[in-house]
Amino acid sequence: RQLEGSGITLMRMAQPGVPTVEEWLADRMPAGGTLALDGACTSVSVVESLEKALAEKEIKLNTNASLIDPIWKERPAIPEAPMFEMPIELSGKSTEDKLLDINKMLHKAGADCTILSALDEVAWTFNIRGTDVAYNPVVISYAFVSEKESVLFMNPKKIPAEIAEHLKKEGVTLADYGMLATFLSRLPERTRVFIDSKRTNVAIYNALPKSSILIEGTSPANHLKSIKNETEIKGFRNAVLKDGIAMTKFYFWLEKMLKAGEKVTELSAAAKLTALRSEQPQY
């Protein structure tokens, strides 16, 4: 109803009779045409899927199209709020040990290095957290991991001095967020790069030297992150316990309010529950 008359057609994906994005483009685009997209916002796997679907009509892809920047004049900058550390008492494993585990998996896969572009993977690997994305404690960043060096690419203004010092002690080199493409372009010839095509954007892929040997699979960091250590499991249980206390207090408050004939709305109930949860340490 909201889209009515707007010139936008709603197509419900995965419903009977509704084409996929690839099918729709293949049907509508002229033979020999060019499809423009922002490589920094499109994964390698999506581009591969598009190339396959559009190959028959010899449609080219321009992955360097910056379509939003010229028209979004007052676009907010990437937040500069400082990041903070996830202490080993809560993470259960040091950054140094996590990098060691990632490199073991790379070695097993026959790779020399990997690039982490998924923000949750970077946060987990380097035991860092931030407030750059609402409701998600991640920091806008990239990372490069190899036996030779591990580099964290981030706005230097966001890194408190004591955290920078701690990361350096754990074998991490710090670099500016915008330097990743330049760094990758300087990799030695025939470097074996591990790529998770679903979690790596095509701009990173294009920045690699043409001689690079690509090894595809699930990101080692993503794989390791899914296996929780005892400290993390204890953390989950502790969080559930804290939430149980807040919920019990909430139900008590709700019964009291209803018995008194007070009006409780979804908004006032949600506000009360948030207030009760925020009473718990480390909320």
Side-chain angles (χ1 to χ4, degrees):
R1 286 199 301 271
Q2 290 173 343
L3 291 173
E4 204 173 313
S6 69
I8 297 169
T9 304
L10 174 64
M11 304 186 81
R12 299 181 186 278
M13 294 170 73
Q15 295 298 306
V18 178
T20 63
V21 173
E22 291 85 350
E23 288 167 346
W24 189 89
L25 288 167
D27 181 54
R28 298 298 178 97
M29 287 196 67
T34 301
L35 175 66
L37 51 88
D38 186 345
C41 302
T42 315
S43 71
V44 173
S45 62
V46 166
V47 168
E48 287 173 347
S49 179
L50 286 168
E51 284 176 336
K52 190 177 175 184
L54 303 174
E56 197 177 315
K57 293 177 81 171
E58 296 184 348
I59 293 166
K60 297 181 181 69
L61 264 64
N62 174 2
T63 58
N64 297 315
S66 179
L67 304 170
I68 300 298
D69 291 347
I71 57 173
W72 195 354
K73 300 296 183 188
E74 295 176 14
R75 186 175 188 176
I78 292 173
E80 290 187 355
M83 68 177 194
F84 53 97
E85 212 165 15
M86 183 72 166
I88 197 166
E89 299 82 55
L90 297 177
S91 68
K93 203 162 204 176
S94 69
T95 297
E96 190 176 11
D97 285 341
K98 288 178 178 181
L99 290 170
L100 196 65
D101 289 344
I102 290 172
N103 278 308
K104 280 178 187 172
M105 289 192 74
L106 290 174
H107 184 72
K108 197 174 177 182
D112 301 312
C113 61
T114 190
I115 303 131
L116 305 181
S117 57
L119 301 185
D120 58 322
E121 291 181 15
V122 178
W124 177 84
T125 302
F126 295 90
N127 285 333
I128 56 173
R129 299 292 187 269
T131 57
D132 293 354
V133 180
Y135 310 112
N136 199 337
V138 292
V139 188
I140 303 293
S141 53
Y142 289 111
F144 173 87
V145 180
S146 73
E147 272 189 338
K148 185 183 170 187
E149 62 181 334
S150 294
V151 187
L152 179 60
F153 296 86
M154 188 188 296
N155 180 344
K157 290 180 183 176
K158 300 175 66 62
I159 311 173
E162 64 274 15
I163 296 180
E165 196 59 38
H166 186 221
L167 285 167
K168 285 174 187 174
K169 282 179 183 173
E170 298 219 59
V172 180
T173 302
L174 301 173
D176 191 86
Y177 179 70
M179 290 302 294
L180 177 68
T182 304
F183 177 88
L184 294 178
S185 70
R186 294 172 181 165
L187 287 176
E189 282 201 12
R190 299 189 64 76
T191 297
R192 298 170 298 174
V193 185
F194 193 100
I195 287 281
D196 187 333
S197 61
K198 291 179 181 176
R199 298 169 76 85
T200 306
N201 69 51
V202 80
I204 290 174
Y205 181 88
N206 290 341
L208 293 166
K210 299 297 179 198
S211 68
S212 301
I213 299 163
L214 301 182
I215 298 167
E216 291 200 26
T218 300
S219 164
N222 199 30
H223 176 86
L224 290 164
K225 183 167 72 72
S226 70
I227 305 164
K228 303 303 175 189
N229 61 48
E230 286 304 314
T231 303
E232 289 171 317
I233 292 167
K234 184 182 174 184
F236 275 117
R237 290 179 173 148
N238 192 30
V240 172
L241 179 64
K242 288 177 178 181
D243 201 57
I245 292 166
M247 287 299 295
T248 304
K249 288 182 175 181
F250 171 74
Y251 286 132
F252 180 78
W253 170 85
L254 183 62
E255 287 176 12
K256 193 175 167 185
M257 293 291 281
L258 295 176
K259 277 179 187 173
E262 298 284 347
K263 184 182 177 184
V264 179
T265 67
E266 283 187 57
L267 281 174
S268 65
K272 182 65 178 177
L273 190 51
T274 298
L276 291 168
R277 283 175 171 152
S278 70
E279 290 173 3
Q280 292 293 329
Q282 297 172 320
Y283 169 76

